[in-house]
Amino acid sequence: MNAISRDTGAMSENRRFIMDQKEIINDTKDADEPRIGVFVCECGVNIGGVINCQEVADYAGSLPNVVNSSVNKYTCSDSGQSEIKQAIRDNDLNRVLVAACTPKTHEPIFRACVEEAGLNPYLFEFVNIREHCSWIHMQEKEKATRKAKELVRMGVSRAIQLEPLESNEVPVTDAALVIGAGVAGMQAALDIADMGHKVYLVEKNPSIGGKMAQLDKTFPTNDCSICILGPKMVEVARNKNIELMTYSEIDEVDGYVGNFKVKVRHKARYIDTVSCTGCGLCVEKCPVEVPNVEFNEGIGTRKAIYVPFPQAVPLRALVDRSVCIDCNACVKACNSSSVDMEQEDSFSELDVGVIVVTTGFEVYDPEPTHDFGYGLYDNVITGMELERLINASGPTMGKLVRPGDVTSPKRIGFIQCVGSRDKNSNRYCSSFCCMYALKDAQLIREKYPDSEVYIMYMDMRTPFRNYEEFYDRARDMGIKFIRGKPGKVTEKEDGNLIVRVEDTLTNSILELDLDMLVLSVGAVSGDSNERIRQILKVSRAADGFMMEAHPKLKPVDTTLDGIFIGGVTQGPKDIPYSVSQGSACAARATRYLSQGKAITEGITVDVNEDVCVSCGICVPMCPFQALSLEEGKLNVIKALCKGCGTCAVACPTGALQQNHFSNNQLLAQVRSVFAFEEE
Amino acid sequence: MKEEIYQTFCPGCGVGCGLYIREDPEGNTSVDFMKSSPANLGKLCRFGMKVPYHYSKARTMVTGSKADIEDAIKAAAHRMADADSVTMLSVGNTTSEEHMAFCRIAETLGTRVDTGVFPLPSQITSKCGSYPEGISLDEMEKAKRIALFLDPYVQYPLIVRRLLAAKRNGAGIVAVGTKELHLADETLDIGPDRYDELGLDDKSLIVADIHPNSDPVHVKQLLDLAGRCGAKIHFMQPFINSTGVNLALKANGSMMALAQIMEDIEAGNIRTLVTLDSDPVELMPDAAAAVETLKKLDNLIVISSRASPVTELADVVIATEPVYMKAGTFMNVEGRLQENSGSGVAGIDAMSLLNGELGGKRFDYQQLHYIFMKSIGDPGTDVGDVTADKAEQMECGSVDVDNAGSSVPEGMYQLKYLYNPFMWFDQKDDNDFVLIDRKLVKKLGLKKGGMVVLGSENGKMKMRYRVENIPGGMIMTAKKIPVATGPNTIISLEGC
Amino acid sequence: MADNREWEPKIVAFCCNWCSYGGADTAGMGRFQQPSSLRVIRVMCSGRIDPLHVFNAFLEGADAVLVTGCHIGDCHYVNGNYKTQVRHQFLEEMVKEMGLEPERLHLNWISASEGEKFANFVRDVTEQIKKIGPSPLKPEGVN
Amino acid sequence: MVEIGDKVLGYATDPGIRNRGASGGMVTAILAAALERGLVDSVIVLRHINEYEAVPVITDDVDEVLASAGSMHTVPVNLAKYAAGRKVAMPGKPCDVRAVFEQAKRNEIDIDNTFIIGLNCGGTMHPVLTREMLVRMYEIDPEDVVGEKIDKGKLFFRTKDGEEKAIPIDDLEDAGYGRRESCRYCDVKIPVNADLACGNWGVIGELAGNATFCEVMNGKGVRLLENAIESGYVQIEPAGEQSIAIREKVNSAMLSLGEKWSARVFTEIPEEQRINYYMEQFADCIDCGACKEACPVCTCDEDSKCTMYHSLADDYKMSMYHMVRLLHLSDSCIGCGQCSDVCPVDIPVTSIFRRFADPAQKKHNYKAGMTLERPPFLEVMLK
């Protein structure tokens, strides 16, 4: 009940009353009353050519609390800045207002300037009379001058209300969590670990390696993918600072930069990973055989108990209980009694300071929409299936056969941009499909020189070192390029495919009779990424991938402090780019770990506990989970607050205030837009 | 879960709004609406809404230290018995019964009780066409023309609905010498010499107020006006029971205005002051000066239900229970007798003890209640409209109209208080601004959102201002401000 | 200002730091000339713009109030502008019920690159307001 | 035994309670049983002050609960605020229940610990106006009245000498008496959002006036009723089809009457006049803050956005306080009328609030205070 009441501490109040009577009088000057210095910048002629800056400065001088006002040619210049510092000293200023250009570029400069003169940087106020005045009223000098005065008046009334703010420091737990152990995640984990910090590397699959482990060769050098990745995987497993958690998923993440609490679920493998040696005896005895969807894209088979792939790290078996018939053949076969059918999921609680998300991507699945007959015609396959088909350790031992009749295809076509650059599905370019198609085409031509390979493309995109040369080589190798996206694919009785495509370079309609068709499918973010994204509350970009804090200047940061995204998690990219982003994440993350502390935004919200009634309306408003009700009290986690202030609007009592943009400050600005007509 | 609920009345002004005070087990109090209260239908003004602020409980003290009640009574009796010039003050902010008890003590001492108000409303003659206890507020709604000499919105908000009702019933309302009022059809800034222009007749009503800082000349002018034109006159009064107190005083009241009492203290004519729920520091416009004056007393004895500045200065404080807990009756400005639901008689018992110590007779609540009811001519019944006409009558002939008092030096302004309950009780309020005329804004070159500096012999202070249509040369405020030296202070004004 | 100059409305615009304030900057950089009626107040996010601020602007004498922010989906703070939009629906309805002309309150999404759009917006609103005249809520003697 | 959706007729087993209660004392008995058997810690009841006035008290005393039996039509208080922070059972008119839900959304009330016995409500009257009405319309001395009832559109008063006088409510309301304005156009008559929905509508035959029709709305209702039956306080029997039909008929008759009143109260104000209308309405406001204090959906303390940035020093054409509140309440006003009741200058606050809330709530297909599912204040659309 919100009835008006108070405790009766009346005595002291009365005593104060008697004393106050004398004090109020004659107290027309407050000791810490704002003393504002106003500096009007001419910015050469940019402002001075339109606005009468001296008039503006004189007007500013007549405003309450302004003790000093002057005009500078270039306020941001060295001499302009030293004038500000001098004025602060000479006039004992405790607020500084600069009327010049846009705060978006120059506010940091002046904040630093006043800070050097001993003022809190948040006691600086910027008024934009260039972009918002002189440049947009170039022909109306009088009006522009009048408007500039009013803008300065608004700034002064806001400056009066400014309050010093301190950035907050929070301690950082010296450990990192890397989610996803593909090549980007492995790189990030290794880099952080090598800088001497503890890393938990969590991978949902039974082995690390990610998509790169499935690939046959890598462009543009055509070296064997697993041959270069394998040693790195072993290195990850060996690194003492890395604690590897495979076949594990993130269940919950709480906390904020420096102090994340993470709950990890270790899915039951039904194998004691300590004693298992990965010898494979159990696999031999297992009577159940199912398609190997996990690693071989459904081509070939695996057993119910299986080792993910020969180079898997950790090289341990696991049991697929969904197909297991509980015959216990494996249990009997195992020399080290490592099979444990009673095993259950277990959990770990991790405390980490930073989180790197390298969850990668899913290959676009053309099955549901039957793109180019995929899923209808046996001999239409995806690029990733092709990788497994031509891989020496793949189901066919590297022999290229077509799935329909297990014969060697001679005429092979690639269709580019499947699931990419398509307004109906994904608008973005998946960036690596051109290159892998070129690579696969080359590999086929190398292995089977009698084969014909067609690449049907819209644009061939080959940036970066040696990529264009790689394209040239493909052309030299006799691979045929057709610029055009096929309209129709039909299957003949022999399983061959008729592809109708318009070659837009020659304006001719071609009808190709191909043995096999490879769809160069792109990358999509996928469900498991989305799950992680929601747990972490990272923003989602329009393409479904996670969003970086700034597309250019903060490409691996997120809007959440202490959470970084790298590799394809942020959007499609190739291996070198992913690896460098992994390193970038490591570098960004280690900034916190090595400092041991995190500085958070000074502009945050504060709750006035006397006014807050704990109604909780604000809590769901915060997109960063900075607000929570704990034991009937509102708690603001400053480290999570980004200072958007939207909660302050939801607050019915006004108890929540955004610092530096408080209601008083904004209302002071609103109110000083207007003046008496006579003024 | 034991929650006490008291049916009581707002102490702010004479309307006597009924309300509930809830008191939880920790002693925190809150207001609740008593919708069946006939004076106000459960409606409350800003002061009423904040009434719990008023109930800061007093503590019994002797010379600044906590004492138990018997020692305090003995100390008080000792000081009062030896004193030669005792003045007793009760402005009407307590029950009729406690006031009667206070009068008993005065009798024992051979002195009289002052209400600090001159002239006493009960002494206004019926020749002037008014009831001693004012008219019933329902009747206000029937007047044909109403001349307002106060600002009902700020000063007596609960009559706003009555005035609006009168307006709906066809009344013409004119605001005289106050700020522009939304409910008034016109605002006239005229002096007493032009009051006849108001066009009042015997179907008209004059609404003004009387309080401890009232100007007797002004009151007489209004009475004179009423007498001349035959209009009824209704005086609003601050404090919950000023009407009842005036009635109870018929025999042994004196007619000293508060300012007179303070002057006498200053001059050494009064050496001992005994107050009953009345605080001169709060009541005087210049609180700081009042403190200095009270310090000159030999004895300051305070009987009070609430802590206030005067309890800090007192030699002896005899604390009684808060008003809402008391047993007793209040008579509101329309003569409606209303009774508290509380049963507290600690205040009466303390005064009885004090009277005994002074050699007088002891008494109890029942006796006093009976005597009071009898004195208003209505023994036995506890509720009802009382229209007693037993008040002493005062001659109300013509008064010299004195306009010279408003001579304000060039460049100076007259600061006028819009007295309201917050000011009388010096309670926190958000009236922290002065009202200023639009012309003045231009003249002083004031900036929007800026402040003004008010200056008097007491010093200077900054204040916010609000632009209103008010009489020229005047600054009004509903906030008690330290630069004020009296009910009307001549001040200097500058922008800043 | 009792001269014969054409009456110029006062328009208060709340701009979010990341998009629409940038849009106003871009308008300046592009020298897109505008009427001098606009007074920009910067906030970090359009989600910070409280109906309270809008009311206060009107009561102080604003002839129009503009609420601007990033395009939906582009919010620097995930979904602040979405909240702005929801709040605006209520605000808009209230302004309508109160009898204030709908031209006096606008919500617009303007990105940092849309300088011309910003300038056109200011021009349009100023024209509309000039047609309907000063706000009925403008206090006497204030501009 | 009792199931959600049950419609029963019930009454107190104790003859004393049954007689004193308006309709068989069932509500009183359920409340008493809930308190006695520890289902709740306390009960909100109305303590009678006089025939026209009662004050809500929170009590853990079963006797006080039993003493509160009997319904009053002249106690237009809203009980929701008294339930805050307690494990409590309370009777509730539809507006009480709606306010409880709004408070629950603001964490002020724990809905799981608040047991509400809803009461059908055709409206309440203001005590002082009722006295005046008795004198002027009924020509009865208010002090002589010993009982009241509403039946077939007429308001009955019984005096101590046993006489009964009835006047059609329509006539009373045309003369400015009768139900409070907000009750006249209220659109929830049966408290379907309460745990139990009780009332005398549909009680027919020999039980008429002696039993209560009760619909079990949810699990808490089941617990309340079972608890009362097990403790022997209450007896029930299933309601017959005719009872159910009559109750529905009364309800729809009341609702359509409400719609008529609504059309009468909310006459369209031409757009160009509106701003002046509202400015004029609020011009007499004395800033007492009573409308906020009395508002049962507002959980703010004294300081809140509407008051903090509203200053008497501002010379605005319209009250900032009211503008902020108009917006804040546009999604949560339940139209209970408390604000109008306490306004010292008789501003029709409630109907003004409804003018803003109705279109907003309708547009978002939302009716404040009916369920917990929709969040408050402008969050309505957010997930």
Side-chain angles (χ1 to χ4, degrees), chain B residues 325-399:
Chain B
M325 288 182 176
K326 291 184 196 292
T329 57
F330 305 96
M331 187 180 284
N332 82 343
V333 73
E334 44 179 348
R336 196 188 290 273
L337 194 66
Q338 318 194 92
E339 192 166 355
N340 251 6
S341 74
S343 55
V345 290
I348 301 261
D349 289 349
M351 281 188 268
S352 165
L353 209 58
L354 177 60
N355 200 33
E357 289 287 331
L358 290 167
K361 267 203 232 162
R362 301 281 299 268
F363 43 78
D364 65 15
Y365 172 77
Q366 287 306 328
Q367 276 173 306
L368 295 172
H369 181 64
Y370 177 77
I371 293 166
F372 177 72
M373 297 307 281
K374 221 177 136 188
S375 79
I376 60 169
D378 205 358
T381 55
D382 50 351
V383 180
D385 292 353
V386 181
T387 49
D389 56 353
K390 297 182 181 62
E392 281 175 23
Q393 298 203 340
M394 188 179 82
E395 201 52 48
C396 99
S398 61
V399 189

Side-chain angles (χ1 to χ4, degrees), chain D residues 33-41 87 115 220 223-224 227:
Chain D
L35 183 58
E36 195 175 82
R37 310 232 312 174
L39 198 60
V40 293
D41 299 333
K87 190 175 179 186
F115 292 82
K220 274 190 290 164
R223 284 167 68 195
L224 273 172
N227 177 66

Side-chain angles (χ1 to χ4, degrees), chain A residues 349-386:
Chain A
E349 304 265 350
L350 310 178
D351 286 318
V352 297
V354 290
I355 298 176
V356 174
V357 190
T358 47
T359 44
F361 68 105
E362 303 286 334
V363 174
Y364 171 77
D365 182 7
E367 167 88 49
T369 44
H370 301 302
D371 297 354
F372 304 106
Y374 184 88
L376 302 175
Y377 313 144
D378 289 342
N379 295 327
V380 182
I381 64 169
T382 66
M384 193 49 128
E385 287 164 353
L386 180 67

